[in-house]
């Protein structure tokens, strides 16, 4: 709080100084009589007149000045108090009101949280001990601290340094892999390499030239997006007698079931071949839903199946651009297209997700598709040859990543994949941290489940040795296990410990320079996101706690690693499809009908904000990193201090659920 100047008093004071010649005397006419008359001077012969001109205050003036200071102090204390009360109230609002969800979260994450909380207690104790020794509070403290230095230098630091060296090695190996992928992407761009279809459909093509295609839309309580996904599938530019749309509904909400049935009936009346299937028991989640749909007798009449999640809206020419790649390529099992996000600029969370997924599709999927004809199926926006699905055993319910499971088994059976980077399918990113965290938990626990189940199948398969190495080392270990392991261990555990065990050192290039270079490489496919490079780096390290927890849970079958939680969608993509719908219809009346159908998705209801929640692991790690940053001040470690401070603040922001939106 800045101190304001007393202008009236200053003006009066200047007038008084001008009106006096020798002694400084307050004029009773210009001021009230309650001022005390003072005479400043000296009786010595060596009287200095400049002393009389010095600024002298009466007792009342001094009292007035101190009163102003007390008012300023009181205002500052009130401001700080209001800030503390505001923080406490905000924290209370961020506690999730649903008690059942709290019990589930506690049951799932209690072990990992206890370990982090124990680590926090140890770090705080070490900081207090370091401060006592630094200020030399007592001789006993100095004596104990001397022995502590000997113990940590002889026993603790070597162990920590060995773990540090291992994590740094893994970090460098993963960085080299990331660099090779980027170079491969540059080579593809430079040589303009992309899959080319054997032929193209035109207006003069006969109906018999179009193969029988099955379009499947699995959904579960998708109130917000069911209309747009069904509409996008039904308006495909494909002969209606050569296409069947399957709506695979696992909803347990009877209201949603009725709405979806009404939408299906509407399109049936328009001549679209569309069927509605509902399972009473949701076994196997999405894999069980797809498996049940493929068991229908009429499926044998179809050659290809296109799969779309409920929030995906393919363009009307999607089938015409993907199906031709199967022509004359009997070894091709899958054609995967790229995801495009309609809400990537909605908030900071969606912008950071866009950076990650853009690199995944632009670099990882494209490079793997061009050079080795294999990549992980993304579960949606892809077309499968039904014969390939049957050849590798069909959909299995053994993991929560059924898409990756079917892709690995098809690859082991000798089938090839094609990735089309120039064909985009609109979809939606989760806008709340709660939804994003659940999604990431499933995406990182499922691969470890699958790796444990199919490891021996990879070893015994008849594919080449290099393909086995790629599957085991690159596909599973390096990108699914090592990445979350070293990211969490190195930056959330080892780095704070090196502040309290300075004998074990973590070089500055590991903390700052190499992660910065890797972040630049990650952001190259999305150059518009370059201003968010620092938040991206910090947020990725923050998400490492969720990814590490999910990886451990999936690898050792802990917690809720086999639980499938549907990612919450908001239906934002519906507005972007209105132009497509309008262009696809000939009659104006039918266009208006579709316009109303697409916009009535209850989007206004979704704007109701829900209570935020506190994320205990993120908050505990925030205090750990901030405590370690305070310790780094004692040793004047610049880069380490700034990294720990900013990373701790990022954990605090995420732990308080201040990133993304909270939508009910």
């Amino acid at each position: 709080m800045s101190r304001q100047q007393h202008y009236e008093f200053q003006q009066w004071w200047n007038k008084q100084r001008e009106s006096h010649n020798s002694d400084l005397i307050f004029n009773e006419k210009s001021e009230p009589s309650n001022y005390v008359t003072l005479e400043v001077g000296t009786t010595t012969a060596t009287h200095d007149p400049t002393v009389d001109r010095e600024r002298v205050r009466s007792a009342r003036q001094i009292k007035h000045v101190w009163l102003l200071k007390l008012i300023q102090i009181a205002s500052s204390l009130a401001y700080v108090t209001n800030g503390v009360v505001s923080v406490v109230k905000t924290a209370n609002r961020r506690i999730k009101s649903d008690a059942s969800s709290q019990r589930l979260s506690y049951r799932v994450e209690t072990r990992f949280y206890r370990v982090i909380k124990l680590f926090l207690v140890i770090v705080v104790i070490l900081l207090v001990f370091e401060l006592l020794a630094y200020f030399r509070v007592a001789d006993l403290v100095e004596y104990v601290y001397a022995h502590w230095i000997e113990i940590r230098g002889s026993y603790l630091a070597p162990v920590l340094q060995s773990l540090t060296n291992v994590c740094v090695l893994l970090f460098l190996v993963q960085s080299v892999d990331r660099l090779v992928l980027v170079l491969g992407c540059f080579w593809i761009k430079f040589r303009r390499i992309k899959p080319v279809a054997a032929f193209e459909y035109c207006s003069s093509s006969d109906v018999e030239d179009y193969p029988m295609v099955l379009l499947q839309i699995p959904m579960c309580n998708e109130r917000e997006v069911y209309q747009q996904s069904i509409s996008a599938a039904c308006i495909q530019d494909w002969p209606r007698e050569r296409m069947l749309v399957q709506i695979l509904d696992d909803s347990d909400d009877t209201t949603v079931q009725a709405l979806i049935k009404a939408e299906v009936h509407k399109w049936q009346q328009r001549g679209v071949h569309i069927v509605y299937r509902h399972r009473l028991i949701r076994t196997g989640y999405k894999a069980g839903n797809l498996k049940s749909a493929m068991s229908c007798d009429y499926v044998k009449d179809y050659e290809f199946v296109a799969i779309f999640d409920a929030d995906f809206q393919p363009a009307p020419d999607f089938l015409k651009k993907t199906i031709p790649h199967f022509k004359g390529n009997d070894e091709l099992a899958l054609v995967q297209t790229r995801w495009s996000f309609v809400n990537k600029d909605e908030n900071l969370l969606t912008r950071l997700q866009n950076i990650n997924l853009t690199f995944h599709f632009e670099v990882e999927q494209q490079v793997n598709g061009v050079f080795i004809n294999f990549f992980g199926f993304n579960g949606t926006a892809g077309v499968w040859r039904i014969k390939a699905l049957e050849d590798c055993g069909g959909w299995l319910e053994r993991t929560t990543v059924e898409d990756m499971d079917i892709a690995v088994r098809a690859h082991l059976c000798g089938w090839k994949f094609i990735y089309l980077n120039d064909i985009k399918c609109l979809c939606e990113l989760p806008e709340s941290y709660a939804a994003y965290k659940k999604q990431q938990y499933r995406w990182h626990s499922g691969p470890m489940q699958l790796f444990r189940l199919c490891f021996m199948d990879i070893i015994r398969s008849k594919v080449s040795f290099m393909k086995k190495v790629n599957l085991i080392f690159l596909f599973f270990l390096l990108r699914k296990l090592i990445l979350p392991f070293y990211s969490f261990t190195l930056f959330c555990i080892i780095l704070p410990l090196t502040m309290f065990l300075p004998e074990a050192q973590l070089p500055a290039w590991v903390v700052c320079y190499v992660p910065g270079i890797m972040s630049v490489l990650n952001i190259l496919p999305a150059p518009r996101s370059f201003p968010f490079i620092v938040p991206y780096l910090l947020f990725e390290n923050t998400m490492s706690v969720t990814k590490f927890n999910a990886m451990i849970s999936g690898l050792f079958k802990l917690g809720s690693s086999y639980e499938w939680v549907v990612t919450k969608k908001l239906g934002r993509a519906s507005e972007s499809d209105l132009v497509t719908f309008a262009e696809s219809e000939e009659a104006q009346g039918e266009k208006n009908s579709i316009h109303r159908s697409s916009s009535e998705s209850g989007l206004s209801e979704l704007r109701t904000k829900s209570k935020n929640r506190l994320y205990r692991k993120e908050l505990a790690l925030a205090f750990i990193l901030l405590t370690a940053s305070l310790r780094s001040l004692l040793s004047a470690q610049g880069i380490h201090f700034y990294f720990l401070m900013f990373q701790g603040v990022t954990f605090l922001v995420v732990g308080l659920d201040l990133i993304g939106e909270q939508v009910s």
Side-chain angles (χ1 to χ4, degrees):
M1 182 176 179
S2 61
R3 181 178 177 180
Q4 299 180 354
Q5 298 180 0
H6 199 306
Y7 294 104
E8 296 179 359
F9 177 77
Q10 186 66 37
Q11 294 176 359
W12 172 83
W13 181 259
N14 294 335
K15 292 180 180 179
Q16 294 300 318
R17 293 187 62 183
E18 294 175 356
S19 64
H20 295 302
N21 296 324
S22 57
D23 297 337
L24 182 60
I25 302 175
F26 290 101
N27 192 344
E28 297 182 357
K29 296 182 179 180
S30 61
E31 290 296 322
S33 60
N34 55 359
Y35 279 92
V36 180
T37 302
L38 296 177
E39 184 174 339
V40 181
T42 179
T43 58
T44 60
T46 59
H47 174 71
D48 188 358
T50 60
V51 177
D52 298 337
R53 299 189 184 95
E54 292 182 355
R55 185 174 176 176
V56 181
R57 296 178 179 178
S58 66
R60 182 176 179 83
Q61 293 170 341
I62 296 175
K63 179 180 178 181
H64 182 70
V65 171
W66 281 105
L67 183 61
L68 290 177
K69 291 183 178 180
L70 291 176
I71 293 175
Q72 292 174 356
I73 295 174
S75 301
S76 300
L77 292 177
Y79 179 79
V80 173
T81 303
N82 291 334
V84 173
V85 172
S86 177
V87 170
V88 173
K89 290 182 178 180
T90 302
N92 289 333
R93 288 198 303 268
R94 309 232 177 262
I95 299 176
K96 191 175 180 61
S97 59
D98 190 356
S100 61
S101 299
Q102 289 180 345
R103 289 194 296 268
L104 176 61
S105 176
Y106 179 80
R107 185 179 69 251
V108 171
E109 302 177 354
T110 180
R111 296 178 183 176
F112 191 41
Y113 174 67
R114 286 176 181 175
V115 174
I116 297 177
K117 187 167 63 174
L118 177 61
F119 183 43
L120 173 60
V121 173
I122 294 174
V123 168
V124 172
I125 293 175
L126 288 176
L127 177 62
V128 173
F129 185 56
E130 292 281 350
L131 292 175
L132 293 176
Y134 182 80
F135 292 105
R136 300 180 179 180
V137 176
D139 295 337
L140 179 60
V141 174
E142 294 184 13
Y143 176 78
V144 175
Y145 188 73
H147 285 277
W148 162 245
I149 293 177
E150 181 180 356
I151 292 173
R152 77 186 189 189
S154 303
Y155 301 102
L156 300 180
V159 176
L160 181 61
Q161 188 65 58
S162 300
L163 180 60
T164 301
N165 295 336
V166 171
C167 289
V168 169
L169 178 62
L170 297 177
F171 178 37
L172 293 178
V173 172
Q174 198 273 335
S175 300
V176 171
D177 173 65
R178 188 61 54 95
L179 179 61
V180 171
L181 288 174
V182 172
L183 293 177
C185 183
F186 278 132
W187 179 256
I188 293 173
K189 298 294 184 183
F190 177 73
R191 299 298 300 269
R192 298 181 180 179
I193 302 173
K194 68 175 184 178
V196 179
F199 76 104
E200 295 182 0
Y201 288 104
C202 58
S203 57
S204 60
S205 299
D206 296 333
V207 176
E208 289 75 13
D209 295 335
Y210 293 84
M212 299 288 287
V213 180
L214 189 67
L215 286 83
Q216 295 180 336
I217 307 178
M219 58 179 60
C220 180
N221 297 324
E222 306 286 0
R223 177 191 294 269
E224 299 79 23
V225 294
Y226 74 93
Q227 286 181 319
Q228 62 195 41
S229 59
I230 294 176
S231 300
C234 292
I235 64 173
Q236 284 295 305
D237 187 10
W238 200 260
R240 293 187 174 182
E241 60 270 24
R242 313 291 289 179
M243 179 183 72
L244 174 66
V245 180
Q246 279 186 320
I247 307 302
L248 312 178
D249 185 23
D250 269 2
S251 303
D252 54 8
D253 189 335
T254 55
T255 303
V256 177
Q257 295 176 23
L259 291 172
I260 297 175
K261 288 180 181 178
E263 186 72 13
V264 170
H265 181 67
K266 180 187 72 175
W267 287 101
Q268 287 175 342
Q269 291 180 329
R270 297 179 181 180
V272 177
H273 293 178
I274 180 172
V275 296
Y276 173 84
R277 285 178 54 84
H278 178 264
R279 295 192 305 162
L280 296 177
I281 302 177
R282 192 188 173 208
T283 58
Y285 303 109
K286 181 179 177 181
N289 201 358
L290 295 172
K291 181 180 179 180
S292 174
M294 295 300 294
S295 64
C296 298
D297 294 336
Y298 54 79
V299 173
K300 64 179 182 295
D301 299 329
Y302 293 84
E303 187 176 357
F304 303 103
V305 55
I307 303 173
F308 303 101
D309 283 349
D311 60 316
F312 279 73
Q313 306 116 74
D317 59 351
F318 179 87
L319 294 180
K320 281 191 172 182
K321 290 184 177 181
T322 54
I323 297 296
H325 289 272
F326 290 95
K327 186 72 173 181
N329 194 353
D330 295 336
E331 296 181 347
L332 182 61
L334 168 67
V335 173
Q336 173 72 58
T337 62
R338 180 173 178 170
W339 298 2
S340 180
F341 312 108
V342 296
N343 61 338
K344 61 183 179 181
D345 297 326
E346 187 63 29
N347 54 47
L348 179 60
L349 180 61
T350 58
R351 291 178 184 272
L352 299 180
Q353 293 179 68
N354 178 60
I355 296 174
N356 239 346
L357 291 173
T358 299
F359 182 87
H360 171 71
F361 286 104
E362 184 81 16
V363 180
E364 290 182 348
Q365 297 290 76
Q366 187 171 207
V367 170
N368 291 329
V370 169
F371 291 103
I372 61 178
N373 298 119
F374 168 73
F375 46 82
F377 174 45
N378 296 117
T380 179
V383 182
W384 277 91
R385 189 189 297 270
I386 295 180
K387 180 181 177 181
L389 291 177
E390 297 172 348
D391 182 51
C392 63
W395 299 103
L396 299 181
E397 306 169 6
R398 56 181 183 173
T399 71
T400 57
V401 285
E402 75 296 326
D403 46 6
M404 185 181 294
D405 186 6
I406 195 75
V408 170
R409 287 185 283 115
H411 181 59
L412 295 178
C413 292
W415 292 95
K416 296 181 179 180
F417 303 165
I418 283 180
Y419 173 73
L420 302 179
N421 189 59
D422 55 343
I423 299 180
K424 300 179 180 180
C425 191
L426 291 176
C427 63
E428 181 182 342
L429 291 167
E431 297 183 13
S432 67
Y433 179 69
Y436 179 63
K437 185 176 181 178
K438 292 176 181 178
Q439 181 194 71
Q440 292 299 305
Y441 188 92
R442 175 168 56 86
W443 284 6
H444 286 81
S445 64
M448 291 298 98
Q449 304 167 11
L450 181 60
F451 177 67
R452 189 184 64 252
L453 294 173
C454 70
F455 177 76
M456 294 308 301
D457 295 336
I458 297 175
I459 298 297
R460 291 192 294 261
S461 65
K462 297 180 180 180
V463 298
S464 65
F465 176 77
M466 293 305 299
K467 289 184 177 181
K468 293 180 181 180
V469 172
N470 173 70
L471 272 176
I472 295 176
F473 179 70
L474 292 179
F475 187 76
F476 280 112
L477 292 181
L478 187 60
R479 298 167 187 167
K480 303 297 189 297
L481 188 148
I482 292 178
L483 178 58
F485 171 77
Y486 87 75
S487 180
F488 172 75
T489 307
L490 194 62
F491 297 108
C492 299
I493 302 297
I494 293 178
L495 179 58
L497 282 179
T498 56
M499 298 297 101
F500 299 97
L501 304 177
E503 292 81 5
Q505 298 182 354
L506 190 61
W509 58 268
V510 176
V511 178
C512 180
Y513 304 124
V514 175
I517 295 174
M518 292 300 104
S519 298
V520 171
L521 294 180
N522 281 11
I523 214 167
L524 284 179
R528 291 181 55 193
S529 302
F530 193 82
F532 302 95
I533 185 170
V534 174
Y536 170 75
L537 172 61
L538 297 174
F539 183 70
E540 280 301 294
N541 289 335
T542 304
M543 285 303 301
S544 65
V545 60
T546 298
K547 297 176 181 179
F548 178 84
N549 187 25
M551 181 266 293
I552 295 296
S553 300
L555 190 61
F556 299 102
K557 297 189 293 185
L558 302 176
S560 59
S561 58
Y562 282 90
E563 181 183 5
W564 181 291
V565 180
V566 178
T567 304
K568 185 66 178 178
K569 306 174 186 67
L570 304 181
R572 291 191 180 277
S574 60
E575 300 302 327
S576 65
D577 285 338
L578 297 180
V579 176
T580 302
F581 295 152
E583 292 177 351
S584 65
E585 298 294 337
E586 297 178 357
Q588 183 66 30
E590 194 170 4
K591 285 191 294 184
N592 296 334
S593 175
I594 296 177
H595 185 104
R596 290 192 300 270
S597 173
S598 302
S599 60
E600 295 171 357
S601 59
L603 190 60
S604 59
E605 299 177 1
L606 291 169
R607 306 318 304 162
T608 304
K609 296 297 182 66
S610 65
K611 291 184 179 180
N612 297 7
R613 59 181 300 180
L614 290 176
Y615 296 97
R616 301 178 301 172
K617 295 192 299 296
E618 285 80 356
L619 289 176
L621 285 167
F623 292 123
I624 289 173
L625 294 171
L626 293 176
T627 303
S629 68
L630 293 178
R631 173 61 182 87
S632 67
L633 287 176
L634 301 180
S635 55
Q637 297 187 17
I639 293 179
H640 297 74
F641 166 73
Y642 289 114
F643 181 86
L644 287 167
M645 182 182 65
F646 288 119
Q647 190 65 72
V649 171
T650 304
F651 266 104
L652 186 63
V653 169
V654 174
L656 292 175
D657 201 8
L658 297 177
I659 187 171
E661 295 185 7
Q662 295 75 39
V663 184
S664 62

